Amino acid sequence: MDTHDLRLLANRIRRRDLQAVYEAGAGHIGGEMSVTDLLTALYFHTMKVDPAAPLDPNRDRLILSKGHTALALYVVLSEKGFLPKEEIATFLQHNSRLNGHPNRVKVPGVETNTGPLGHGLPVGVGMAKAAKLDGADWRTFVITGDGEMQEGSNWEAIMAAAHFGLDNLTLIIDHNRLQQGARLEDTNNLAPLPPKLAAFGWTVLEIDGHDMDQITAALSADNIASGKPTCIVAHTNKGHGISFMSDNVAWHHKVPNEAQYKQAMQELENAQ
Amino acid sequence: MTAPFQNAKLHDCRDAFTAALEELAAADGNIVAVCNDSVGSSKLTGFRDKFPERLINVGIAEQNMVGVGAGLANGGKIPFVCAASPFLTGRALEQIKADVAYSQTNVKLVGISSGMAYGELGPTHHSIEDFAWVRALPHVPVIAPADRIETDAVIRWAATYQGGCFLRLSRVGVPDLLPEGHVFELGRANVLCEGSDVTIIANGVLSHRAVTAAAVLEGQGISARVLNMATVRPIDQDAILSAARDTGAILTCEEHTTFGGLGSAVAEVIVDHHPVPMTRLGVPGVFAHTASAEQLLDDFGMSPQAIADSAVALMGRKG
Ligand SMILES: Cc1ncc(C[n+]2csc(CCOP(=O)(O)OP(=O)(O)O)c2C)c(N)n1
Ligand SMILES: [Mg+2]
């Protein structure tokens, strides 16, 4: 898919996500809007995955380590054909497969169960190592939140990935500068992230995480330096695409009221 | 007694927790709060505004959070370490073991939104293993208050108690059960209803459901004793053995897996000292399906009616 179509698709995914949050009365809309462009590019441009064979041993792997934004992943998986599109309407409903955090046992296309922050990257290291042991060429992608990078487990995995020379592993940090209760800089500031990853021996790319040209270029295998894992620091906005949510910490998991919902939907429609 | 709590006001016990903590902190400059980007969800915004330098937010880093708590205690502070219970207990369990229990430090672990309070957010956010995990450790009393009054009493007790403890709070609204001014005693259960045919033992968000179940049973001519057993360790052996002798059957209800929690703790006493028929209600060793917090309790057989039905079935096993 070219970047023009990717932009249109990401817009549609944002609208479906917004509607589901509004109807379910819950969700993590801020982080979902910030990660949507990244997920769209991965599933519709970069990754080799087949909804007809979700467990194909040679598939590329994606771990949404910031599992609280599961809804964005569910919508992307439904667009890709892993789930019926109608099923998004069951989000959080009694006995739905689609709870607030992704479950690989129930939802095809999900690789590992996330929700507690700081779990995805270690699992991704294991996946990438398995591919190396097999001499296979599938890639592993992990998306973490920037607040999530405060978890020590990530840094243990960062050391291991570099030590093992896992050039088939790509970490994408959704760097929206906000965490749950406040800005990162007012909580436990990790910025600037790139020199930290570089110091651990990773190749680091910095991009605008809402620019499809930059996203697709950064995800390309051409950037891989042999023997080094890659980290893409994606500069994003929490609540991206909706003016009153954008870069506003109040919208970590707030639910829009009717007027806010209508305005948000209008803004997304106008942006098509 | 019919349909208790029908128009009762429901309270989020986190409010009682932080109101008590702020009052205690105003009187004692050594009281500090430690959290993991959970200022809002732990209801610590008031504490932060009043005592900004005494709110230590380490970011999303629970292992560090508990370790920092132990260090603060070493330095003479009285840390209340607050986080969503699954991440506090699950993520930092070894810190709780080595830095709090084994080192015997004065760290107050406050598990917020425990049990299945997070409902639809799913099993990663449920904390239905925490009684078992922490109860396995020496030197850390495990306490799950049932209402706003008991929460207030437990926080006041914890601030003066010398040693670590685990306080398991919810966010789900509960009615008042204990009398205003109630004083918490570690390891001492409270009789919420007197009864002679069967005993229901509960704590946390299940206690008021147990009282309602007793009312249902009374309608069937069955006299149920209800014990509110906030302390899971050290367990109230005397209250359990009196219940066994007086009523001959014990039903436990908890917002926890049936592997290793309140029911198991009660059963350990019963097996060792005075075997009587028991039924242990809880989450039967599964990861929960998608549902709200209250719906999950109903789905796992802990609606007041289902508790009453289980009590009737249990009585059929009495000798
Ligand atoms: C181990 C753990 N601690 C705490 C939480 C609660 N929590 C959920 S989302 C969140 C903030 C995440 O911020 P960030 O990683 O920056 O994600 P984003 O901004 O993309 O939403 C927190 C603290 C959690 N899910 N897991
Ligand atoms: Mg963030």
Side-chain angles (χ1 to χ4, degrees):
Chain A
M1 200 177 273
D2 69 21
T3 51
H4 172 76
D5 290 342
L6 285 171
R7 268 190 291 277
L8 288 179
L9 178 56
N11 180 285
R12 178 158 90 233
I13 290 166
R14 280 197 170 80
R15 281 182 282 135
R16 188 65 193 91
D17 187 293
L18 168 68
Q19 184 193 342
V21 167
Y22 179 63
E23 287 172 359
H28 287 83
I29 194 155
E32 285 154 15
M33 296 300 134
S34 78
V35 81
T36 297
D37 295 314
L38 298 168
L39 285 174
T40 305
L42 279 162
Y43 277 91
F44 290 88
H45 179 85
T46 307
M47 283 171 44
K48 289 195 299 278
V49 289
D50 178 4
L55 296 176
D56 179 346
N58 287 316
R59 70 194 182 278
D60 288 338
R61 270 71 163 177
L62 178 278
I63 300 175
L64 182 64
S65 190
K66 40 172 277 184
H68 55 287
T69 58
L71 177 55
L73 179 63
Y74 297 151
V75 177
V76 169
L77 289 175
S78 76
E79 287 286 344
K80 189 77 185 172
F82 284 94
L83 295 174
K85 284 188 190 163
E86 315 80 74
E87 197 172 336
I88 298 301
T90 72
F91 178 57
L92 304 186
Q93 283 185 10
H94 197 189
N95 292 319
S96 169
R97 300 194 274 182
L98 309 181
N99 77 23
H101 297 87
N103 183 342
R104 69 178 285 272
V105 184
K106 294 182 176 172
V107 185
V110 173
E111 296 288 351
T112 189
N113 298 7
T114 52
L117 297 165
H119 281 247
L121 193 56
V123 177
V125 168
M127 291 174 178
K129 184 75 183 165
K132 286 285 179 199
L133 289 171
D134 284 350
D137 66 356
W138 50 271
R139 298 175 67 188
T140 300
F141 300 89
V142 178
I143 303 181
T144 63
D146 49 2
E148 181 179 6
M149 293 308 292
Q150 292 161 350
E151 288 286 3
S153 52
N154 286 314
W155 299 92
E156 297 177 21
I158 286 166
M159 283 187 279
H163 181 75
F164 296 148
L166 300 178
D167 51 17
N168 52 351
L169 176 67
T170 300
L171 164 65
I172 305 159
I173 304 177
D174 182 355
H175 193 10
N176 57 27
R177 306 171 303 283
L178 303 179
Q179 48 193 101
Q180 178 168 298
R183 305 187 78 81
L184 263 76
E185 63 183 352
D186 297 328
T187 309
N188 183 338
N189 201 3
L190 275 167
L193 283 159
K196 295 186 174 65
L197 271 296
F200 277 89
W202 286 53
T203 298
V204 185
L205 307 170
E206 261 185 287
I207 61 166
D208 174 344
H210 299 303
D211 180 320
M212 279 298 177
D213 295 306
Q214 292 190 37
I215 297 171
T216 51
L219 289 171
S220 159
D222 297 345
N223 298 310
I224 293 175
S226 179
K228 281 181 150 200
T230 304
C231 175
I232 300 172
V233 177
H235 293 278
T236 56
N237 298 307
K238 219 157 166 165
H240 187 79
I242 301 168
S243 59
F244 58 94
M245 293 185 191
S246 189
D247 200 36
N248 181 347
V249 75
W251 287 93
H252 175 69
H253 56 192
K254 205 169 131 159
V255 177
N257 63 28
E258 193 185 343
Q260 290 166 329
Y261 173 65
K262 285 188 172 147
Q263 184 189 334
M265 197 53 97
Q266 192 64 58
E267 290 185 16
L268 290 174
E269 278 165 11
N270 293 344
Q272 279 180 79
Chain B
M1 187 170 71
T2 43
F5 316 122
Q6 218 152 45
N7 296 310
K9 192 168 185 299
L10 302 182
H11 300 275
D12 178 339
C13 292
R14 292 178 300 175
D15 294 321
F17 155 57
T18 43
L21 188 68
E22 287 173 29
E23 195 187 312
L24 292 162
D28 184 345
N30 279 325
I31 290 183
V32 297
V34 188
C35 71
N36 65 330
D37 188 21
S38 57
V39 178
S41 54
S42 301
K43 297 254 183 185
L44 288 169
T45 47
F47 187 99
R48 178 196 60 198
D49 295 345
K50 293 194 180 93
F51 318 103
E53 73 292 350
R54 285 198 264 155
L55 187 271
I56 299 150
N57 182 357
V58 300
I60 311 169
E62 293 75 18
Q63 301 181 54
N64 188 38
M65 173 182 70
V66 173
V68 167
L72 286 161
N74 175 287
K77 303 299 166 197
I78 305 172
F80 280 74
V81 175
C82 313
S85 202
F87 313 131
L88 171 67
T89 60
R91 190 56 156 274
L93 189 57
E94 192 175 86
Q95 277 75 14
I96 295 176
K97 175 182 169 183
D99 310 346
V100 180
Y102 189 38
S103 300
Q104 297 192 39
T105 50
N106 194 24
V107 178
K108 320 300 173 184
L109 303 162
V110 186
I112 308 282
S113 307
S114 63
M116 297 181 291
Y118 276 124
E120 301 89 340
L121 291 188
T124 55
H125 284 54
H126 295 165
S127 196
I128 57 168
E129 308 85 5
D130 49 9
F131 283 158
W133 288 341
V134 186
R135 189 172 79 86
L137 303 172
H139 306 304
V140 185
V142 175
I143 304 160
D147 69 359
R148 112 193 124 80
I149 296 158
E150 193 173 30
T151 302
D152 175 83
V154 165
I155 299 305
R156 288 171 200 283
W157 167 85
T160 53
Y161 175 74
Q162 280 301 312
C165 55
F166 171 48
L167 315 179
R168 187 195 200 238
L169 308 185
S170 185
R171 64 160 63 201
V172 175
V174 284
D176 290 350
L177 285 170
L178 289 146
E180 209 76 57
H182 169 73
V183 175
F184 175 76
E185 281 181 76
L186 182 66
R188 180 66 55 87
N190 320 103
V191 180
L192 295 179
C193 307
E194 259 311 346
S196 52
D197 295 331
V198 62
T199 299
I200 307 175
I201 301 180
N203 63 21
V205 302
L206 262 308
S207 289
H208 73 91
R209 285 177 176 244
V211 170
T212 307
V216 172
L217 289 166
E218 187 179 286
Q220 297 170 228
I222 295 167
S223 160
R225 178 179 300 182
V226 178
L227 293 180
N228 174 51
M229 195 162 282
T231 313
V232 177
R233 178 174 177 164
I235 198 83
D236 188 344
Q237 185 161 319
D238 294 342
I240 294 168
L241 293 179
S242 302
R245 285 191 206 100
D246 299 348
T247 70
I250 294 180
L251 177 75
T252 58
C253 318
E254 60 194 306
E255 194 188 27
H256 191 274
T257 166
T258 50
F259 291 69
L262 174 68
S264 302
V266 171
E268 288 159 13
V269 174
I270 289 297
V271 167
D272 285 354
H273 300 283
H274 191 99
V276 294
M278 269 192 77
T279 298
R280 296 174 299 114
L281 298 181
V283 180
V286 297
F287 289 118
H289 53 280
T290 307
S292 69
E294 302 271 11
Q295 180 72 50
L296 284 167
L297 293 178
D298 291 351
D299 290 352
F300 287 122
M302 292 183 282
S303 67
Q305 183 64 53
I307 293 171
D309 293 346
S310 289
V312 171
L314 169 64
M315 284 174 58
R317 289 166 46 208
K318 287 211 298 192

